[in-house]
Amino acid sequence: MEQSSVLPQNIEELTAEYQRLWPLLPVLHANIGKLAGKDAVKACAKRLGMLNKQGGKIGIHFEHEVDMDVFQDYLIYMHRPRGLSLVRQMLNRNRYQQGSDERMLLENMAQARFSLFWVRELHPAGGCVLLDVISGDKVFVLDQTMAQQSEVGLLIALRLFPFRNAWMHTGATMVFGRIDDAAGLQPQGHRFNEQEERELNEENIRRWRQIIREMEA
């Protein structure tokens, strides 16, 4: 397969900076998650079918360890009271100084988008090229682990945010099998609005959880 034109020329520089910054991401996610009140958590769990009633008490039921990552990702990026995600709310609080790594990451994270992607190319030194099967965009995503453990042809759902002249993902990845022939993919060339993105996110979470149930049955 011919290499994509989206492959950055400065891949080594980007990879080094990505490796330095990646440990900050789960810390930021945890701090952002603390902004969520009980009503927000309950509302998101209800939308995702994760509420469970036991002993007269209603709580969140995680069927799989990765459920927690997927739920947190949805909560802090897609729960948007008054149109502001928890990520955007944290950014607006100006908790981190201008010029800090955390501030830079937050500014980029506020531009995150969720979609369904096809793994087009692997570049073990730094990441992989993904095809957005909704919009048709091709993007280079920094992630050495994904590049080394993934396979060309995998269909995955995840959230990306811009980073320099490439992209990073938020860490909650759902795998839906493999499609070897890209000719069967017909991107819609469509940009989702907020409601459409949320519906796609919820649909893929429900579908992914069902796949996990069937695998473990």
Side-chain angles (χ1 to χ4, degrees):
M1 179 182 291
E2 181 182 354
Q3 286 196 350
S4 172
S5 60
V6 301
L7 188 64
Q9 296 298 313
N10 59 335
I11 193 169
E12 291 185 1
E13 176 186 339
L14 284 171
T15 300
E17 188 169 12
Y18 162 81
Q19 291 175 333
R20 182 179 67 82
L21 295 174
W22 177 253
L24 295 178
L25 199 60
V27 177
L28 281 172
H29 281 163
N31 289 337
I32 295 167
K34 293 175 183 177
L35 299 181
K38 291 183 180 179
D39 289 343
V41 172
K42 184 177 179 180
C44 289
K46 183 177 181 180
R47 292 187 69 92
L48 298 177
M50 292 181 177
L51 276 185
N52 186 42
K53 187 174 183 179
Q54 288 186 343
K57 294 183 179 181
I58 297 177
I60 304 177
H61 176 57
F62 295 126
E63 297 179 357
H64 192 274
E65 183 178 326
V66 188
D67 269 1
M68 292 183 285
D69 295 331
V70 171
F71 177 78
Q72 183 193 55
D73 188 76
Y74 178 88
L75 171 68
I76 66 177
Y77 286 96
M78 293 310 305
H79 180 66
R80 300 175 183 177
R82 297 175 296 281
L84 297 177
S85 70
L86 296 179
V87 173
R88 174 64 68 176
Q89 291 180 44
M90 177 63 85
L91 178 62
N92 290 349
R93 290 187 177 205
N94 294 317
R95 177 172 173 178
Y96 302 101
Q97 293 182 349
Q98 290 285 351
S100 67
D101 291 334
E102 291 85 353
R103 177 78 185 190
M104 180 270 292
L105 283 171
L106 273 174
E107 289 174 350
N108 292 343
M109 290 158 63
Q111 304 174 59
R113 63 183 179 90
F114 179 90
S115 195
L116 191 62
F117 298 90
W118 182 72
V119 180
R120 187 176 189 272
E121 302 168 20
L122 298 176
H123 299 274
C128 53
V129 174
L130 304 182
L131 169 68
D132 187 326
V133 302
I134 305 298
S135 69
D137 292 341
K138 297 183 185 70
V139 294
F140 180 77
V141 180
L142 290 156
D143 187 333
Q144 287 181 302
T145 301
M146 181 186 294
Q148 293 167 0
Q149 297 180 357
S150 196
E151 300 176 18
V152 169
L154 283 185
L155 192 64
I156 59 177
L158 73 168
R159 197 179 316 278
L160 301 180
F161 60 89
F163 177 72
R164 308 303 188 206
N165 55 328
W167 296 76
M168 289 175 62
H169 69 88
T170 60
T173 303
M174 295 172 279
V175 180
F176 292 103
R178 179 171 175 166
I179 299 176
D180 292 320
D181 187 2
L185 297 172
Q186 298 181 345
Q188 304 168 17
H190 177 63
R191 297 284 182 180
F192 279 168
N193 59 34
E194 180 180 320
Q195 180 178 345
E196 290 172 324
E197 181 184 353
R198 179 183 293 107
E199 290 173 352
L200 179 70
N201 200 162
E202 293 170 357
E203 175 189 347
N204 278 275
I205 290 175
R206 287 190 290 265
R207 189 156 61 99
W208 176 75
R209 297 184 82 215
Q210 182 59 39
I211 290 173
I212 297 296
R213 290 190 201 103
E214 293 172 355
M215 290 175 59
E216 296 182 342

